[in-house]
Amino acid sequence: MSTPAEPSAVAGDETSPATPAPSGSRVLVAWTGVLAALVLAADQLTKWWAESALTVNAEPIPLVGDLLGLRLIYNPGAALSIASGYTWILTIVVTVVVIFIVRAIGRLGSRGWAVALGLLLGGAVGNLIDRLAREPGFARGHVVDFIDYAGFFVGNVADIAVVAAAVLIALLSLRGIGLDGKRHTGDERDESAKPDGDASEPA
């Protein structure tokens, strides 16, 4: 009597989580796209405002004392103006990152990863648009930066989104949470190493 009941229970366990997964995944993908679009819109609108309201390479306008200000510059490189002579290489790298993110979104099963990838995608595309569409030319465009951090470096909204995404990805990785929303740790291996697990493995 117990033998037929066990397979049916197992079958139920296998099919029940598989049924809601596609719809749940579609919702996460949709929210990731919405978040990315919001970040992109905020980035492009603030860059447009900075170009219309600020003067290039002028003295910073203080917002929070000397800690935070507004100063418009055009950055040919990455963060901190690194690799300023290799703008086209940075464009290729960012394009590859965007493609990777888009492909990874299809495997989403975690709200945390959905937020992280949405922020990362919006920020990456925001700066990629600058590199593709701005002067001095296609794939060599300079990124609009206008948020001055105590004179150490100047960034934009896209940079904030990318940094926030990096922090969130680091936290999710430390917790062992994968894109699929499952916690990937060594717990299962530890359990299989117990005496009961050892006895079941030969069988």
Side-chain angles (χ1 to χ4, degrees):
M1 299 294 290
S2 62
T3 303
E6 291 175 358
S8 61
V10 173
D13 291 339
E14 290 178 353
T15 56
S16 56
T19 303
S23 59
S25 178
R26 285 194 294 269
V27 170
L28 290 175
V29 170
W31 279 110
T32 302
V34 170
L35 179 57
L38 290 175
V39 170
L40 177 59
D43 176 66
Q44 293 299 304
L45 287 174
T46 52
K47 286 174 178 175
W48 171 83
W49 172 85
E51 289 188 297
S52 61
L54 304 176
T55 303
V56 180
N57 295 324
E59 288 296 318
I61 300 174
L63 293 177
V64 184
D66 295 331
L67 297 178
L68 191 67
L70 297 174
R71 180 163 68 98
L72 177 62
I73 67 169
Y74 291 95
N75 181 11
L80 306 178
S81 296
I82 297 173
S84 57
Y86 301 93
T87 306
W88 64 275
I89 295 179
L90 294 173
T91 302
I92 294 174
V93 171
V94 175
T95 302
V96 171
V97 170
V98 169
I99 294 173
F100 174 80
I101 296 170
V102 171
R103 295 186 62 181
I105 287 175
R107 306 197 306 271
L108 274 175
S110 162
R111 284 176 291 182
W113 275 102
V115 173
L117 292 185
L119 291 171
L120 186 58
L121 180 60
V125 172
N127 284 337
L128 181 61
I129 289 175
D130 287 15
R131 299 191 187 282
L132 294 176
R134 294 185 180 275
E135 297 293 338
F138 180 78
R140 297 180 292 112
H142 296 178
V143 175
V144 177
D145 288 335
F146 61 93
I147 306 175
D148 189 300
Y149 297 91
F152 290 106
F153 61 93
V154 183
N156 53 44
V157 172
D159 296 333
I160 296 174
V162 170
V163 171
V167 172
L168 183 53
I169 289 172
L171 293 175
L172 291 168
S173 299
L174 287 174
R175 295 182 60 190
I177 300 176
L179 276 173
D180 55 5
K182 297 179 181 178
R183 192 180 296 274
H184 300 280
T185 64
D187 294 343
E188 294 180 357
R189 294 181 180 179
D190 294 340
E191 291 179 359
S192 64
K194 294 179 181 179
D196 292 340
D198 292 338
S200 60
E201 287 179 0

